[in-house]
């Protein structure tokens, strides 16, 4: 009924559609929405290096993403009053490294471009194993530390006073973000991955009446956008990542207009 590559694309999309908003909601509430873009740029540098040294690119990108997450947290602590500096510094470093590796390996630029703009139809079995493993880790950790992440997102000082290991929890969220972003770039692309982390959450915050409801709605909206976006892209031969993101933006606009209409 469906070709093998489409089945793999659908499976990968559904898995990322679950993990991205699960992590994204904590990032949005902590005003760290741009961290997705930062880690994505660093991941691309790792992917480029992977092609250059002929090692599994997504794996090298994942390692770079995790290292970037540690660096971001370190810099956030060094500049407590200017936490956004950590994001700007790491993003600059990621772009610089990516440019350097592009220059060293001009012959594989076309391959790297698929990670910039997404290439979900090229997912192979190894990619699915990696995405599946990350999904299990993210769902398990978020389930185990849901209450702690909730308190950390709304009031970090209160979380610290109550005795929670704030540094460890902050690092955990950042590392989980790195895992999700690094595995999502082949699906929606590094330039669009931040949208999958934030837009479903933005929509859910408009319609949900509680935090748990926001989490559920963000996942549901994300999955709808991924599945419908893939089908539409397949039928009309469109870019899958871009189609998914534009569908999410359309849902956001419709939700905002509906909300405004109900308030009149």
């Amino acid at each position: 009924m469906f070709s093998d590559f489409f089945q793999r694309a659908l499976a990968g999309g559904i898995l990322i559609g679950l993990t991205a908003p699960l992590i994204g909601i904590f990032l949005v509430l902590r005003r760290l929405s741009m961290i997705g873009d930062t880690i994505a740029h660093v991941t691309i540098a790792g992917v480029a290096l992977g092609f250059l040294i002929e090692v599994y690119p997504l794996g090298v990108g994942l390692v770079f993403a995790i290292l970037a997450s540690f660096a971001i947290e370190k810099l956030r602590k060094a500049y407590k009053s200017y936490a956004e500096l950590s994001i700007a510094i790491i993003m600059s470093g990621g772009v610089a490294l990516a440019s350097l590796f592009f220059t060293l390996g001009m012959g594989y630029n076309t391959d790297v471009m698929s990670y910039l703009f997404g290439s979900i139809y090229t997912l192979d079995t190894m990619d699915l194993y990696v995405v599946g493993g990350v999904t299990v880790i993210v769902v398990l950790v978020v389930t185990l530390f849901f209450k702690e992440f909730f308190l950390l997102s709304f009031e970090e000082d209160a979380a610290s006073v109550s005795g929670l290991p704030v540094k460890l929890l902050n690092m955990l969220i950042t590392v989980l973000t790195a895992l999700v972003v690094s595995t999502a770039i082949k699906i929606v692309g590094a330039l669009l991955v931040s949208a999958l982390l934030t837009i479903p959450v933005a929509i859910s915050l408009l319609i949900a009446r509680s935090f748990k409801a926001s989490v559920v709605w963000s996942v549901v909206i994300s999955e709808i956008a991924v599945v419908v976006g893939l089908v539409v892209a397949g039928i009309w031969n469109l870019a899958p990542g871009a189609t998914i993101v534009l569908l999410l933006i359309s849902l956001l606009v419709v939700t905002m207009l509906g909300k405004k209409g109900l308030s009149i």
Side-chain angles (χ1 to χ4, degrees):
M1 184 175 179
F2 293 109
S3 59
D4 290 341
F5 76 86
F6 187 83
Q7 291 179 22
R8 288 193 295 270
L10 190 60
I14 289 173
L15 291 174
I16 290 299
L18 169 63
T19 57
L22 270 182
I23 292 300
I25 192 160
F26 298 112
L27 298 178
V28 170
L29 293 176
R30 297 173 70 210
R31 294 172 176 80
L32 291 173
S33 301
M34 291 302 296
I35 198 172
D37 280 327
T38 299
I39 293 178
H41 282 78
V42 177
T43 302
I44 285 297
V47 168
L49 179 61
F51 278 113
L52 186 64
I53 63 178
E54 297 183 352
V55 175
Y56 181 52
L58 194 58
V60 180
L62 195 150
V63 171
F64 267 54
I66 293 174
L67 292 175
S69 70
F70 282 101
I72 288 171
E73 280 304 307
K74 190 73 174 176
L75 287 170
R76 282 185 69 232
K77 296 307 175 186
Y79 298 97
K80 290 183 179 180
S81 300
Y82 309 96
E84 71 279 0
L85 268 178
S86 63
I87 294 176
I89 292 169
I90 299 301
M91 179 181 284
S92 300
V95 172
L97 281 175
S99 300
L100 176 64
F101 295 143
F102 283 161
T103 304
L104 294 174
M106 296 297 289
Y108 61 71
N109 278 3
T110 302
D111 295 317
V112 176
M113 287 300 169
S114 68
Y115 287 87
L116 282 173
F117 298 101
S119 183
I120 192 170
Y121 293 139
T122 63
L123 288 178
D124 56 30
T125 304
M126 178 59 75
D127 293 332
L128 280 183
Y129 282 140
V130 173
V131 176
V134 168
T135 301
V136 171
I137 293 171
V138 170
V139 172
L140 184 61
V141 173
V142 170
T143 301
L144 289 174
F145 295 97
F146 187 81
K147 291 181 180 179
E148 289 82 355
F149 287 164
F150 170 78
L151 181 57
L152 186 69
S153 299
F154 281 98
E155 188 52 69
E156 186 170 328
D157 291 335
S160 180
V161 171
S162 66
L164 291 178
V166 171
K167 289 184 179 180
L168 178 60
L169 292 172
N170 275 326
M171 181 60 67
L172 201 52
I173 291 177
T174 309
V175 170
L176 290 177
T177 303
L179 292 175
V180 172
V181 170
S182 61
T183 51
I185 61 169
K186 197 169 182 179
I187 293 173
V188 293
L191 300 180
L192 301 174
V193 69
S194 186
L196 205 57
L197 286 168
T198 57
I199 299 178
V201 176
I203 298 172
S204 72
L205 291 176
L206 290 174
I207 60 180
R209 296 185 177 182
S210 69
F211 179 72
K212 287 186 177 180
S214 296
V215 174
V216 173
W217 271 112
S218 64
V219 171
V220 170
I221 292 164
S222 177
E223 296 290 19
I224 290 173
V226 167
V227 174
V228 174
L230 280 176
V231 172
V232 170
I235 294 174
W236 280 288
N237 195 28
L238 303 173
T243 304
I244 292 169
V245 173
L246 289 174
L247 182 57
L248 280 171
I249 293 174
S250 300
L251 288 172
L252 176 61
V253 171
V254 169
T255 303
M256 293 178 67
L257 290 175
K259 188 88 172 176
K260 184 176 180 181
L262 290 174
S263 63
I264 294 177

